[in-house]
Amino acid sequence: MPLAIVSAMREELAAVLEDIEHGVAEQVAGREFWRGRLRGHDVIAVQARIGKVAAAATATVLAERYRVDAILFTGVAGGLATGVQRGDVVVAEEFLQHDMDASPLFPRFEAPLYGRARFPTDLDWSERLASAVKRALPHAVLHQGLVVSGDRFVSSAVESRVLRDTLPDALAVEMEGAAIAQVCLDYGLPYAAVRTVSDRADDEAHGDFQKFIEETASRHSAAIIRALLS
Ligand code: ADE
């Protein structure tokens, strides 16, 4: 069964797609699923598009239609914790939806009827990703821990401070990871995610993000995936 490689944006996936040999694209649910070989492995690469619903729909197709072995996400995130700077890399140990709030029916952040707010990633794949990061980007600072997701591009110092205060162990913020983690829990599918820090989710986030996406994101994704599968 193939390994799925997922990103939200074209720029995060472009160089990975170039590495795929004998790639054949299939259109499902408005997305192109590229199936082929990468460094001797059977893979399916797909651009999920941005946000939790797009990510969940993509993960569901990967589970139901392609019966993938595991889902690996590669992309960018905004740094939240003080020590998480632009250019650092975060491998997620667990995910939480920072915009989930069904209180007072359920505690804030808890996914209703799941009895949990935090969704773990697969230990083995996460360790393999972390080791690939060390080989591919030996000068980058690597963090491992909680990543939070929400349907909002966090682009002000005020908003990122509120997130930092409410979720002090959150390393980074993005818009898809927790949704995929929830779907993977539903299907019993291993999931791991690596995010390069494109911005600090502050007042400069928009410009920093654009620059990073254009110049660096795709190269970093491809280098990490190459190291992982070699
Ligand atoms: N992905 C990259 N930077 C982000 C930010 N500041 N907020 C949400 N998602 C992001």
mmCIF file of all heavy atoms in Angstrom, residues 76-78 150 152-155 173-175 195 198-202 205 209, ligand 1:
data_model
loop_
_atom_site.group_PDB
_atom_site.id
_atom_site.type_symbol
_atom_site.label_atom_id
_atom_site.label_comp_id
_atom_site.label_asym_id
_atom_site.label_seq_id
_atom_site.Cartn_x
_atom_site.Cartn_y
_atom_site.Cartn_z
ATOM 1 N N VAL A 76 4.477 24.309 6.086
ATOM 2 C CA VAL A 76 5.000 25.387 6.927
ATOM 3 C C VAL A 76 4.031 25.687 8.070
ATOM 4 O O VAL A 76 2.867 25.290 8.035
ATOM 5 C CB VAL A 76 5.253 26.681 6.107
ATOM 6 C CG1 VAL A 76 6.261 26.419 4.995
ATOM 7 C CG2 VAL A 76 3.964 27.260 5.554
ATOM 8 N N ALA A 77 4.533 26.393 9.091
ATOM 9 C CA ALA A 77 3.700 26.781 10.235
ATOM 10 C C ALA A 77 4.219 28.095 10.786
ATOM 11 O O ALA A 77 5.352 28.503 10.507
ATOM 12 C CB ALA A 77 3.746 25.698 11.312
ATOM 13 N N GLY A 78 3.389 28.735 11.590
ATOM 14 C CA GLY A 78 3.808 29.935 12.304
ATOM 15 C C GLY A 78 4.377 29.526 13.661
ATOM 16 O O GLY A 78 3.788 28.692 14.363
ATOM 17 N N GLY A 150 -6.128 25.655 13.323
ATOM 18 C CA GLY A 150 -7.404 26.360 13.325
ATOM 19 C C GLY A 150 -7.639 26.981 11.965
ATOM 20 O O GLY A 150 -6.710 27.155 11.186
ATOM 21 N N ARG A 152 -7.767 29.784 10.717
ATOM 22 C CA ARG A 152 -7.412 31.200 10.788
ATOM 23 C C ARG A 152 -5.920 31.334 10.549
ATOM 24 O O ARG A 152 -5.129 30.600 11.164
ATOM 25 C CB ARG A 152 -7.738 31.719 12.189
ATOM 26 C CG ARG A 152 -8.189 33.143 12.207
ATOM 27 C CD ARG A 152 -9.023 33.478 13.403
ATOM 28 N NE ARG A 152 -8.355 33.190 14.660
ATOM 29 C CZ ARG A 152 -8.960 32.657 15.706
ATOM 30 N NH1 ARG A 152 -10.235 32.337 15.638
ATOM 31 N NH2 ARG A 152 -8.305 32.448 16.818
ATOM 32 N N PHE A 153 -5.534 32.256 9.656
ATOM 33 C CA PHE A 153 -4.119 32.587 9.509
ATOM 34 C C PHE A 153 -3.797 33.569 10.635
ATOM 35 O O PHE A 153 -4.337 34.673 10.672
ATOM 36 C CB PHE A 153 -3.845 33.198 8.131
ATOM 37 C CG PHE A 153 -2.390 33.466 7.904
ATOM 38 C CD1 PHE A 153 -1.507 32.432 7.598
ATOM 39 C CD2 PHE A 153 -1.885 34.754 8.027
ATOM 40 C CE1 PHE A 153 -0.155 32.677 7.409
ATOM 41 C CE2 PHE A 153 -0.532 35.005 7.839
ATOM 42 C CZ PHE A 153 0.332 33.964 7.525
ATOM 43 N N VAL A 154 -2.970 33.160 11.567
ATOM 44 C CA VAL A 154 -2.686 33.990 12.744
ATOM 45 C C VAL A 154 -1.630 35.026 12.356
ATOM 46 O O VAL A 154 -0.486 34.690 12.060
ATOM 47 C CB VAL A 154 -2.206 33.124 13.925
ATOM 48 C CG1 VAL A 154 -1.913 33.989 15.142
ATOM 49 C CG2 VAL A 154 -3.257 32.077 14.263
ATOM 50 N N SER A 155 -2.046 36.289 12.335
ATOM 51 C CA SER A 155 -1.159 37.308 11.765
ATOM 52 C C SER A 155 -1.140 38.581 12.612
ATOM 53 O O SER A 155 -1.075 39.682 12.077
ATOM 54 C CB SER A 155 -1.604 37.634 10.345
ATOM 55 O OG SER A 155 -2.951 38.033 10.351
ATOM 56 N N VAL A 173 1.630 26.998 15.002
ATOM 57 C CA VAL A 173 0.230 27.034 14.592
ATOM 58 C C VAL A 173 0.142 26.904 13.071
ATOM 59 O O VAL A 173 0.958 27.465 12.349
ATOM 60 C CB VAL A 173 -0.463 28.336 15.090
ATOM 61 C CG1 VAL A 173 0.214 29.592 14.541
ATOM 62 C CG2 VAL A 173 -1.947 28.347 14.755
ATOM 63 N N GLU A 174 -0.839 26.122 12.625
ATOM 64 C CA GLU A 174 -1.108 25.983 11.193
ATOM 65 C C GLU A 174 -2.594 25.712 11.018
ATOM 66 O O GLU A 174 -3.363 25.953 11.945
ATOM 67 C CB GLU A 174 -0.185 24.926 10.567
ATOM 68 C CG GLU A 174 0.100 23.700 11.403
ATOM 69 C CD GLU A 174 -0.979 22.673 11.326
ATOM 70 O OE1 GLU A 174 -2.162 23.000 11.565
ATOM 71 O OE2 GLU A 174 -0.659 21.503 11.097
ATOM 72 N N MET A 175 -3.016 25.233 9.841
ATOM 73 C CA MET A 175 -4.443 25.204 9.558
ATOM 74 C C MET A 175 -5.000 23.835 9.137
ATOM 75 O O MET A 175 -6.150 23.763 8.703
ATOM 76 C CB MET A 175 -4.773 26.269 8.488
ATOM 77 C CG MET A 175 -4.349 27.673 8.907
ATOM 78 S SD MET A 175 -4.635 28.941 7.654
ATOM 79 C CE MET A 175 -6.421 29.004 7.608
ATOM 80 N N ARG A 195 6.770 20.516 9.918
ATOM 81 C CA ARG A 195 6.457 21.883 9.483
ATOM 82 C C ARG A 195 7.684 22.762 9.671
ATOM 83 O O ARG A 195 8.247 22.843 10.769
ATOM 84 C CB ARG A 195 5.321 22.450 10.361
ATOM 85 C CG ARG A 195 3.991 21.719 10.230
ATOM 86 C CD ARG A 195 3.155 22.315 9.142
ATOM 87 N NE ARG A 195 1.821 21.750 9.062
ATOM 88 C CZ ARG A 195 0.853 22.243 8.290
ATOM 89 N NH1 ARG A 195 1.051 23.315 7.560
ATOM 90 N NH2 ARG A 195 -0.318 21.673 8.245
ATOM 91 N N SER A 198 7.693 29.334 8.945
ATOM 92 C CA SER A 198 7.767 30.379 7.911
ATOM 93 C C SER A 198 7.636 31.776 8.497
ATOM 94 O O SER A 198 8.029 32.764 7.869
ATOM 95 C CB SER A 198 6.651 30.166 6.889
ATOM 96 O OG SER A 198 5.395 30.107 7.541
ATOM 97 N N ASP A 199 7.059 31.877 9.691
ATOM 98 C CA ASP A 199 6.760 33.198 10.277
ATOM 99 C C ASP A 199 6.528 33.023 11.768
ATOM 100 O O ASP A 199 6.483 31.903 12.265
ATOM 101 C CB ASP A 199 5.507 33.811 9.617
ATOM 102 C CG ASP A 199 4.303 32.884 9.733
ATOM 103 O OD1 ASP A 199 3.645 32.857 10.788
ATOM 104 O OD2 ASP A 199 4.048 32.121 8.819
ATOM 105 N N ARG A 200 6.360 34.113 12.475
ATOM 106 C CA ARG A 200 6.163 34.041 13.924
ATOM 107 C C ARG A 200 4.695 34.313 14.312
ATOM 108 O O ARG A 200 4.398 34.615 15.458
ATOM 109 C CB ARG A 200 7.076 35.063 14.620
ATOM 110 C CG ARG A 200 8.519 34.583 14.776
ATOM 111 C CD ARG A 200 8.694 33.549 15.890
ATOM 112 N NE ARG A 200 8.191 34.058 17.165
ATOM 113 C CZ ARG A 200 7.853 33.288 18.201
ATOM 114 N NH1 ARG A 200 7.959 31.980 18.126
ATOM 115 N NH2 ARG A 200 7.408 33.837 19.305
ATOM 116 N N ALA A 201 3.779 34.197 13.343
ATOM 117 C CA ALA A 201 2.346 34.417 13.604
ATOM 118 C C ALA A 201 2.105 35.786 14.249
ATOM 119 O O ALA A 201 1.202 35.938 15.072
ATOM 120 C CB ALA A 201 1.778 33.277 14.469
ATOM 121 N N ASP A 202 2.919 36.766 13.865
ATOM 122 C CA ASP A 202 2.819 38.102 14.458
ATOM 123 C C ASP A 202 2.448 39.145 13.389
ATOM 124 O O ASP A 202 1.954 38.778 12.320
ATOM 125 C CB ASP A 202 4.153 38.459 15.140
ATOM 126 C CG ASP A 202 5.337 38.376 14.169
ATOM 127 O OD1 ASP A 202 5.090 38.243 12.945
ATOM 128 O OD2 ASP A 202 6.482 38.431 14.642
ATOM 129 N N ALA A 205 3.688 38.419 9.976
ATOM 130 C CA ALA A 205 3.474 37.039 9.500
ATOM 131 C C ALA A 205 3.162 36.976 8.008
ATOM 132 O O ALA A 205 3.697 36.127 7.287
ATOM 133 C CB ALA A 205 2.358 36.380 10.299
ATOM 134 N N PHE A 209 5.558 34.931 5.616
ATOM 135 C CA PHE A 209 4.969 33.698 5.080
ATOM 136 C C PHE A 209 5.125 33.660 3.557
ATOM 137 O O PHE A 209 5.598 32.668 2.991
ATOM 138 C CB PHE A 209 3.491 33.635 5.486
ATOM 139 C CG PHE A 209 2.716 32.522 4.842
ATOM 140 C CD1 PHE A 209 2.750 31.246 5.373
ATOM 141 C CD2 PHE A 209 1.948 32.763 3.712
ATOM 142 C CE1 PHE A 209 2.033 30.211 4.775
ATOM 143 C CE2 PHE A 209 1.236 31.736 3.114
ATOM 144 C CZ PHE A 209 1.277 30.463 3.640
HETATM 145 N N1 ADE B 1 0.910 28.578 8.480
HETATM 146 C C1 ADE B 1 2.058 29.262 8.383
HETATM 147 N N2 ADE B 1 2.029 30.375 9.141
HETATM 148 C C2 ADE B 1 0.793 30.395 9.726
HETATM 149 C C3 ADE B 1 0.148 31.298 10.592
HETATM 150 N N3 ADE B 1 0.758 32.399 11.016
HETATM 151 N N4 ADE B 1 -1.123 31.026 10.987
HETATM 152 C C4 ADE B 1 -1.741 29.894 10.543
HETATM 153 N N5 ADE B 1 -1.172 29.018 9.701
HETATM 154 C C5 ADE B 1 0.090 29.256 9.301
#
